Amino acid sequence: MNILHISAECFPIAKVGGLADVVGALPKYQKEIGATSNVVMPFYNNKFTQSNNFEKIYENHIDLGHEYYNFKVHKLVDTKLGFDIYFIDIPSLLYKGYVYSNDDTKRFLAFQIATLDWFLTFEQKPDIIHTHDHHTGLIPFMMSHSIKYNSLKNIPTILTIHNAQYQGWFSHELVNLIPPFNFEKVGLLDWGGTINSLAAAIKCAWRVTTVSPSYMEELKLKANGLEDLLNHESAKCVGILNGIDWSVWNPETDNRLFKNYNTSTVLSGKKANKEWLCKEFNLDSKKPLFTFIGRLVGEKGADLFPEIFKKALNENNISILLLGSGHKETEEALTTISKENFNTFIGYDEKLAHIIYAGADFLLMPSRVEPCGLNQMYSLRYGTVPVVNSIGGLKDTIIDIETENGFGIVHNGVTIEKVTKAITKATSYYKTEEFKENLKKIMEINNSWGNSAQEYVNLYKSLKN
């Protein structure tokens, strides 16, 4: 079975969020179970593209309305990622030092059109086209209804929704940018009076998946305006939980850590990484260390962080370390917190993130929206106890310590009081012998991609029968 994933992000090439981690791991695990699974993405101007070698395998041009763009398709020469990866190079639109901007309609529409134009030249067509989020959401529509792509219409298409809050809206005045199609089908592009790329994909893809079962059910109640559509299309919708790449996220071999460890040496290994962190950020390593890694946005509950942290530090003998960036107001408010038991790294650093997972005692994830969440899986892998809101993928992956077979701290709802209470509960748990025993237990929880990759392959096969 030949699968092509089409995405705006792929780790380690270009990463903004969890989408990159999924697209960078899922094809590799699908190959391990016998599928041929590769990736197509835009060619950005970044460290990865500047420092690797590529082979040009195709060249042509596209018409985007009345504008004309040359494009090339490059293939990464080195197969170190575990799968083949192809790049759509449209210099004036895509070869930028960023993934997303305020004017992405033309950029990602051009990417999708060039990708499909290239597919037309294949002697052997893919068995499955797997699209990811709104940046590739018009591909199922164009394959089904654009006259130009008639030879592709019988290839099954999958849409995976990683985050339904972002939908790729643009005005009907730009509909002429889409290759000619039967205009009686224009309603498939519309949702709420505008062209909506994600809605079009939900309507036109053969199957729609989300990155956790709970998130699929939550979207039917709250999906930034797509609730009725998802309920209407529910027969073709399924939630498949994301996994993590155990070869990358492995405390025994991770070369980013201060000290490596396994389940037998977890206590000494975590202690060494914690002491490095605390020395680096002027924190007391004898206190339980709570951390947050991620975007400082409302979806993550970050608008409440300044008050949560002040209250939690006042009521508990703990330290808090934050790695992330986002809303400037939140970043500025965090600077008003006393530095005695608190510190921040505003921005993102991959090496530091790995050491934080290894050295922290607890990871905070008080998310209001969490389609799947990978951070809680990374923390488990490194023996760090997640403190999470019961939502989306967090609900599917973390069981509270007061429940049978529980191993995490779970709260219901995101308020200053509820999150602070969860932190206090975690602080008390830290003092017990059960806490130490739990570290080995959570490191052995298998959240790798193996099972999920098989679920996707089974889904693909069901469409080919």
Side-chain angles (χ1 to χ4, degrees):
M1 176 169 287
N2 185 358
I3 305 143
L4 277 176
H5 293 269
I6 310 175
S7 173
E9 302 177 36
C10 179
F11 179 83
I13 299 152
K15 175 178 175 177
V16 176
L19 168 61
D21 292 315
V22 172
V23 178
L26 179 55
K28 179 164 59 177
Y29 281 81
Q30 289 178 333
K31 283 204 165 186
E32 289 183 1
I33 56 176
T36 299
S37 187
N38 299 309
V39 173
V40 183
M41 69 176 295
F43 194 63
Y44 301 115
N45 179 11
N46 61 23
K47 184 177 180 180
F48 187 95
T49 57
Q50 292 166 8
S51 58
N52 282 275
N53 296 318
F54 303 88
E55 171 192 4
K56 184 183 77 173
I57 61 173
Y58 184 71
E59 186 173 5
N60 207 330
H61 72 273
I62 61 168
D63 297 309
L64 199 62
H66 300 297
E67 297 177 306
Y68 177 99
Y69 295 95
N70 290 314
F71 76 91
K72 299 174 184 177
V73 180
H74 304 298
K75 180 182 179 182
L76 181 66
V77 174
D78 193 332
T79 57
K80 59 188 175 183
L81 299 182
F83 52 88
D84 289 333
I85 186 157
Y86 303 91
F87 298 84
I88 304 298
D89 181 12
I90 309 177
S92 60
L93 293 177
L94 297 177
Y95 193 66
K96 308 292 184 182
Y98 49 80
V99 176
Y100 305 122
S101 69
N102 294 324
D103 186 26
D104 282 341
T105 298
K106 286 186 178 180
R107 295 179 68 230
F108 287 111
L109 185 52
F111 164 61
Q112 294 172 85
I113 293 170
T115 297
L116 292 181
D117 281 8
W118 175 45
F119 289 175
L120 289 175
T121 69
F122 288 14
E123 289 186 14
Q124 184 175 352
K125 299 292 192 286
D127 293 306
I128 298 287
I129 301 296
H130 192 148
T131 63
H132 295 266
D133 272 350
H134 74 83
H135 326 100
T136 58
L138 292 178
I139 283 177
F141 173 83
M142 291 190 289
M143 286 176 62
S144 298
H145 301 293
S146 286
I147 300 163
K148 185 179 187 180
Y149 305 122
N150 188 58
S151 64
L152 304 177
K153 68 180 181 180
N154 291 323
I155 301 174
T157 53
I158 307 290
L159 165 72
T160 293
I161 302 173
H162 297 260
N163 192 331
Q165 298 303 303
Y166 308 100
Q167 299 173 10
W169 306 273
F170 61 96
S171 168
H172 277 281
E173 294 177 1
L174 299 178
V175 72
N176 67 308
L177 300 182
I178 300 172
F181 59 91
N182 179 354
F183 208 73
E184 291 180 1
K185 303 295 184 180
V186 71
L188 293 171
L189 296 169
D190 181 88
W191 194 257
T194 187
I195 293 176
N196 184 313
S197 301
L198 190 63
I202 294 169
K203 295 175 188 178
C204 297
W206 292 32
R207 290 291 185 274
V208 177
T209 74
T210 57
V211 291
S212 73
S214 288
Y215 187 54
M216 176 60 82
E217 295 308 309
E218 289 165 8
L219 286 181
K220 294 174 184 178
L221 301 173
K222 188 176 181 181
N224 200 11
L226 297 179
E227 301 84 3
D228 289 345
L229 176 59
L230 285 161
N231 278 285
H232 182 265
E233 300 286 356
S234 62
K236 66 178 182 182
C237 295
V238 61
I240 299 177
L241 189 68
N242 280 344
I244 62 174
D245 189 339
W246 271 37
S247 65
V248 173
W249 297 93
N250 183 352
E252 190 167 15
T253 59
D254 190 340
N255 60 15
R256 296 179 174 91
L257 301 190
F258 178 74
K259 181 178 180 179
N260 293 106
Y261 58 94
N262 55 33
T263 53
S264 299
T265 58
V266 58
L267 294 179
S268 61
K270 287 189 68 65
K271 180 181 179 183
N273 285 285
K274 182 179 181 180
E275 287 176 347
W276 183 93
L277 278 173
C278 290
K279 182 178 179 181
E280 190 77 8
F281 290 95
N282 194 30
L283 300 170
D284 186 349
S285 64
K286 294 183 176 62
K287 297 179 180 180
L289 177 59
F290 289 78
T291 58
F292 171 84
I293 300 173
R295 293 177 295 126
L296 299 178
V297 295
E299 287 181 10
K300 304 295 184 182
D303 53 305
L304 300 182
F305 282 178
E307 294 306 314
I308 288 172
F309 293 163
K310 289 176 185 177
K311 184 175 175 61
L313 288 165
N314 183 55
E315 296 178 359
N316 302 279
N317 189 25
I318 63 173
S319 297
I320 299 175
L321 175 62
L322 178 145
L323 169 63
S325 62
H327 290 159
K328 296 303 176 185
E329 297 85 352
T330 301
E331 292 179 8
E332 292 170 2
L334 290 170
T335 65
T336 66
I337 301 175
S338 169
K339 293 294 184 182
E340 184 178 354
N341 297 305
F342 175 78
N343 213 332
T344 63
F345 183 104
I346 300 300
Y348 186 73
D349 183 283
E350 189 74 19
K351 177 181 175 66
L352 178 58
H354 282 242
I355 299 178
I356 290 175
Y357 286 120
D361 298 302
F362 299 96
L363 179 81
L364 298 170
M365 293 186 72
S367 304
R368 294 186 176 99
V369 178
E370 197 63 71
C372 175
L374 298 176
N375 289 13
Q376 81 277 16
M377 298 185 197
Y378 299 147
S379 72
L380 293 172
R381 179 75 162 136
Y382 285 68
T384 295
V385 178
V387 181
V388 307
N389 182 32
S390 182
I391 196 84
L394 301 176
K395 184 177 181 180
D396 291 332
T397 54
I398 306 301
I399 303 172
D400 189 78
I401 55 171
E402 294 180 354
T403 304
E404 185 178 359
N405 298 319
F407 50 84
I409 307 292
V410 179
H411 55 92
N412 290 286
V414 182
T415 66
I416 294 169
E417 289 295 330
K418 287 182 177 181
V419 178
T420 306
K421 185 177 179 180
I423 291 173
T424 300
K425 178 178 174 179
T427 303
S428 298
Y429 182 52
Y430 176 81
K431 302 171 185 176
T432 67
E433 284 301 314
E434 288 82 359
F435 173 80
K436 294 178 182 178
E437 292 297 320
N438 190 41
L439 302 189
K440 180 178 178 180
K441 173 182 173 180
I442 63 178
M443 287 179 67
E444 293 176 335
I445 295 173
N446 189 346
N447 284 311
S448 75
W449 267 108
N451 292 335
S452 299
Q454 186 64 60
E455 284 191 60
Y456 274 113
V457 169
N458 292 344
L459 179 64
Y460 302 153
K461 288 179 177 178
S462 73
L463 300 178
K464 296 297 291 182
N465 293 335

